[in-house]
Every structure is written in C-alpha cells, then in structure tokens.
Amino acid sequence: MKLAAKISISMVLLALLATLIVSLLSGIAIRNSFDNYIDKNLSYRLELYGELLTSYYQDNNNWTDVQSVFDTQSKGRGMSTGYGRMNQGLRGTGHRMGPGMGLMMGSNTGDFLLTDLNGKIIAASDSTYIGKQAPDSAVKYSLPLKVNGDPVGTLIMLSNQRGEWESEFVSSVTRATLWAAVVAVAIALIFGVIISRHLSSPIAMLTVAAKRLAGRELGYRAAVSTGDEIGELASSFNDMAESLERNEKLRRNLVADTAHELRTPLSILRGNLESMQEEVITVSPETIISMHDEVLRINRLVNELQEISLADAGELRLNRRQVRVEELVEKVAMLSASEARQKDISFSADIPAGLPDLDVDPDRIVQVLLNILANALRYTRPGGMITLSAVPGIDEIVFSVKDTGDGIEAGELANVFERYYRSDRSRSRSGGGAGLGLAIAKSLVEAHGGRIWAESKVNEGSSFSFTVPVYKRQPG
Ligand code: ADP
C-alpha cells in the first residue's frame, strides 16, 4: 500500500476513534445527568401530586371519584385546571414547566398509583391497576398522604421507563455525533491527503534519485530541501552519492594509473629484451641495472596495491613492540641519505636525546617514514633541504618531515591522503607513484592509533607530520 493511502487511512481511523470515544463519554455523561434531572423532577412532582390529592381529600372528605384527578392529569391539562393552589405552588418555587407538561403522569414518567389504607389501589394514572393490591416491587417512590395528621392513603410511583423526551434528546445527540463523525472524517481525509502529499513527494524524489544512482548516473542528486528528517536523509543520500562518484572517479584513475605505471617499465623491459635478442644492444651491467630498476618499480606498485587492499579489508597486522626512536631513524636515514646525496639535497635528522621508546610495529613506521621521505625527495629540487625531526607530546611522539620542495596547492592539500590521488603537477612529471604512498601511510598511522597531517606552501615547501604512541611499562 502506498504511503499516502496509509497516512490518509490512519487519519480517518483516528478521527473515527476520537469521535467514538467522545460520543461514548459524552453519552454516559449526558445519560447520567439526564437521569438525575428526571429523578429530581419526578420526586418534585410526587410531592406536588401528593398535595393535589391531599387537598382533594380535604375538599371531599373521602376518595370518591378521585380517579378523575388522575384522568385530568393524564390528559395533560395539568394543574391549571381545577387546583389553583398547585399552580401557585409551582410558580412560588419558580419552577417552570412547558405547556401541556403539567404533572404528566403516564408515558414519560412512569405510573402513579393511589392506595387506600389497606394497600388496595383506588386510583391510578393507568386505570387497569384499580382494584389490585399495590405491588411490592417496581416501586420507585412512595409517599404517605395525611390529612390533619391522619393517614388517608399512599401515593406510589412505579419505576419509570425513559420518557419520550429523553429518548428524543438522546437520539438528537446521536444524530449530532454522527454528523460530527462525518465532518471529522471529511476533514481528516482532506488533511490526510495534504499531509501525505507533503511527506511522500520528497520520498518519491529520493526514490527517483536512488534509482538513477543505481543506474550508474552518479552525478544525480536528490533535490530535497526540507529541514526535517527526510531532508537530513536526502542530504546524507547526496553525501553518499558524492562519495560514490568520487570513489568511482578514483577507481577509474587507479585503473588508468596502474595500467600507465605498468606500461612504462614493461615496455622498457620489453624493448631492452628485444634489442638484446636481436643483438642491437649487448648485455652489459648497465642494461641489467636499468632493467632491474624497472622490475623494482613494478614490484613497488604491486606491493602498494596489496598493502592498500589489506588496509581495505581491515587485515593490517601489526607486530608491536618496544622500539627506540633512534633505531627507526637510523634505518630510514641510511636508506634516504644516499638518494638525497645523489640528488644534491641536504638531509638531516634532528632527534633530541632521551625520547621515550615507542610502542609500534617498527617495519610499518619505517615504511610510513620512507613513503613521506620518498615524496620529499621526489618533489624537492637539487640544492633543497629535507629535515626529519621527532618531538615528544603527551603519550606520543610527533615525527615530521620538512622539505623545501615544490609545495602543494591549498585546494589539493586535503586530498593528498586520499587513495589514488595525485596532483596535476605530479602527474605532469615522470617518476611519481600511483597516488597510494600517503594513503598507505595514513592507514598505517591510524592502525597505531595516531594522526597524520600535512602543511604546505607552494614553492616554499611542505611538512608532513604524524604521531605514534609511546611505550608504557605494564604495571607490576
Ligand atoms: P605518489 O605515490 O604518487 O607520490 P602519494 O600518495 O605519496 O602518491 O602522494 C600524493 C600526492 O601528494 C602526490 O601526487 C603529490 O602531488 C603530493 N605530494 C606528496 N608529498 C609531497 C611533497 N613532499 N611535496 C609536494 N607534493 C607532495
């Protein structure tokens, strides 16, 4: 079922439920107060009727023909006929009765009976009772009638059924409730449709965007600008699309770069081998060294790719142990100093004495330093300078490699740690890597719980820094 239909149906059900509850509660309340009102009314009437009958007895000194009083009242002529005292009594109490209501024994009030002193019915609003004994049950009120202090009879009212006006009142309330339900359902339906449209249209837009994305239209974005949760979902969706697009671009770059990186050394090797085969060149130590260099280049690329896939799979295993900072720096300096010399770049290591030991996998941290130093050597021109330093921090050591090289544009600085990222400058020159060196360095540093960052100014130089944890002696 569509969301819009679900919302509309829920709204209608809610409106129906609310009307039902309100009508039930108001029905109970109305019935209670109505019963109350009728009870009060009846006992008041009983008294008035008693007075009416007592004055009849006083006037006649017996009950002969008393049925005429009941008949007169049953016809609804009320107290205005005959017994003026009653009329005054009613007015005196300020009680207002509608025309024709009178004492209205009968249909809407229950039956009134007059019994003599022996309990025999001598008059009744329903004349079929006359001559019978007063019933024991079904008596709602009974009022002994006295004249000059002597009992002359008893006025009895049998339990009343709901009168006509009560049922009319209840049915008019029911009618009004039904109308209220119809109006509430209509309003709920209108609001349901409006709200569901409002809610479902951004979702529909998101669905379209998701389908387009699934169809590899990676540049498509969801045009949802609401400030609610759906808006948040849309902006997360767009972020996801953005990162998918970026990753797809990087993946394409990687394939192109890897192919390119492999093609160059492979074609050099192939050319050399074919020339040797055709005896165009002779096998000399120089050709073998240059061919070996190309094999090393391919090897490095394959290693980097393997490293990055391990990091992707979360399978970088670290053999951590207590390591002296000097131990690492010596290894790195030995490997980099000769290359620096060859390129006429001055290389120095600035390591203060007394640094705490590290808690690292030494091979991995050497690799991080070598990746950063390889870049520094690659992007620094002859006559430049590279400095490796280490300073203590809180529970960590901060290593930095500073160079006086080409520097990195501010806009590119944020991307240098991304996989397969290469700046346009480095693309244009030969000898660059595949854009994996810094991404691998970042994975390795983060696997140790450290951070890595870069600062740079174009044509002034760059500085790459990272932190690694110091070794803490186990307590005891
Ligand atoms: P690569 O293996 O291609 O050098 P890296 O991930 O090591 O890849 O570096 C990514 C990019 O960062 C390089 O292509 C280069 O543009 C830039 N870069 C890294 N180090 C430096 C540096 N010391 N000086 C200038 N640019 C640098």
Side-chain angles (χ1 to χ4, degrees):
M1 201 194 283
K2 291 225 167 202
L3 186 66
K6 279 187 190 170
I7 293 173
S8 302
I9 291 174
S10 317
M11 295 279 283
V12 168
L13 288 180
L14 217 63
L16 279 176
L17 191 72
T19 334
L20 193 76
I21 291 172
V22 168
S23 70
L24 273 181
L25 293 180
S26 62
I28 292 170
I30 286 169
R31 208 147 297 171
N32 281 346
S33 42
F34 209 92
D35 282 350
N36 238 337
Y37 167 76
I38 285 186
D39 279 352
K40 270 190 198 152
N41 220 331
L42 286 179
S43 59
Y44 182 69
R45 280 174 197 192
L46 191 79
E47 264 170 44
L48 287 179
Y49 213 82
E51 282 185 46
L52 184 65
L53 289 169
T54 316
S55 48
Y56 179 90
Y57 193 93
Q58 270 169 347
D59 290 352
N60 296 287
N61 252 332
N62 58 48
W63 286 126
T64 314
D65 208 20
V66 69
Q67 179 62 30
S68 64
V69 177
F70 283 82
D71 292 343
T72 313
Q73 292 306 322
S74 296
K75 278 179 202 135
R77 271 179 278 144
M79 286 151 295
S80 50
T81 63
Y83 298 91
R85 216 162 69 78
M86 291 296 97
N87 242 345
Q88 282 160 18
L90 278 174
R91 285 202 201 99
T93 56
H95 229 265
R96 293 182 57 185
M97 293 185 127
M101 280 167 75
L103 287 174
M104 291 252 295
M105 326 271 173
S107 62
N108 56 11
T109 56
D111 290 313
F112 280 77
L113 314 170
L114 175 66
T115 66
D116 62 12
L117 293 174
N118 299 322
K120 201 175 111 193
I121 299 170
I122 50 173
S125 53
D126 178 352
S127 56
T128 53
Y129 285 110
I130 297 172
K132 294 178 184 162
Q133 271 307 112
D136 291 333
S137 59
V139 172
K140 191 161 176 79
Y141 300 109
S142 100
L143 179 72
L145 301 178
K146 287 180 182 169
V147 173
N148 302 328
D150 298 327
V152 290
T154 309
L155 177 62
I156 291 173
M157 199 195 84
L158 299 180
S159 53
N160 64 307
Q161 314 88 344
R162 269 204 179 91
E164 262 168 49
W165 12 297
E166 189 192 348
S167 34
E168 201 171 292
F169 183 76
V170 168
S171 74
S172 82
V173 168
T174 312
R175 258 197 316 276
T177 312
L178 272 176
W179 273 114
V182 169
V183 173
V185 165
I187 292 175
L189 209 62
I190 294 169
F191 272 99
V193 169
I194 294 173
I195 291 173
S196 58
R197 284 242 172 99
H198 181 72
L199 284 179
S200 64
S201 72
I203 295 177
M205 277 198 244
L206 262 176
T207 312
V208 171
K211 281 187 181 152
R212 302 276 281 264
L213 205 66
R216 305 220 57 76
E217 239 183 279
L218 299 181
Y220 194 83
R221 298 289 177 268
V224 179
S225 53
T226 51
D228 54 12
E229 286 87 340
I230 298 176
E232 269 175 43
L233 176 67
S235 93
S236 306
F237 176 90
N238 287 342
D239 289 347
M240 182 191 74
E242 191 102 27
S243 113
L244 268 178
E245 191 181 19
R246 199 172 49 235
N247 281 344
E248 177 62 15
K249 206 167 137 197
L250 289 173
R251 191 187 63 80
R252 278 203 210 121
N253 281 353
L254 165 78
V255 176
D257 286 351
T258 312
H260 177 77
E261 289 296 313
L262 287 172
R263 193 182 300 118
T264 319
L266 280 175
S267 57
I268 293 173
L269 282 173
R270 188 177 145 199
N272 280 349
L273 286 170
E274 282 174 0
S275 306
M276 284 177 193
Q277 231 172 6
E278 289 161 13
E279 295 180 356
V280 178
I281 56 168
T282 52
V283 181
S284 66
E286 288 76 31
T287 45
I288 289 185
I289 286 173
S290 104
M291 283 167 73
H292 186 239
D293 278 351
E294 298 309 323
V295 172
L296 286 182
R297 217 165 133 186
I298 296 172
N299 203 28
R300 191 183 113 201
L301 180 63
V302 171
N303 282 344
E304 281 185 347
L305 287 171
Q306 191 188 17
E307 201 77 24
I308 214 86
S309 78
L310 281 180
D312 272 346
E315 285 177 8
L316 275 178
R317 303 248 175 280
L318 300 180
N319 295 318
R320 292 171 93 134
R321 64 178 174 83
Q322 185 179 358
V323 187
R324 286 188 311 114
V325 176
E326 291 80 8
E327 187 186 324
L328 297 182
V329 171
E330 272 162 25
K331 214 177 229 175
V332 171
M334 199 178 70
L335 291 165
S336 305
S338 66
E339 193 180 339
R341 240 187 332 271
Q342 276 173 24
K343 293 191 168 169
D344 193 19
I345 296 170
S346 86
F347 175 80
S348 65
D350 175 14
I351 311 297
L355 285 178
D357 289 346
L358 304 173
D359 176 22
V360 296
D361 179 336
D363 291 342
R364 302 298 198 180
I365 297 305
V366 164
Q367 192 185 347
V368 172
L369 284 166
L370 285 180
N371 284 7
I372 295 175
L373 280 166
N375 283 339
L377 287 165
R378 195 176 293 148
Y379 301 107
T380 304
R381 290 163 202 264
M385 210 162 76
I386 297 174
T387 320
L388 166 62
S389 66
V391 293
I394 303 165
D395 291 340
E396 61 187 18
I397 297 285
V398 185
F399 283 96
S400 297
V401 175
K402 247 191 196 113
D403 64 49
T404 55
D406 298 348
I408 304 166
E409 305 262 356
E412 294 189 321
L413 205 54
N415 298 325
V416 290
F417 295 104
E418 298 229 2
R419 279 157 203 205
Y420 320 126
Y421 180 82
R422 294 173 69 186
S423 70
D424 291 338
R425 277 175 179 230
S426 85
R427 257 169 225 287
S428 60
R429 56 194 282 174
S430 64
L436 294 172
L438 288 177
I440 291 171
K442 185 171 184 250
S443 300
L444 292 175
V445 168
E446 286 176 353
H448 282 87
R451 295 160 284 123
I452 187 165
W453 67 96
E455 291 149 291
S456 188
K457 269 201 177 138
V458 174
N459 296 330
E460 282 187 25
S462 315
S463 160
F464 284 82
S465 309
F466 64 94
T467 63
V468 279
V470 297
Y471 183 81
K472 284 199 194 120
R473 225 160 281 284
Q474 300 297 319

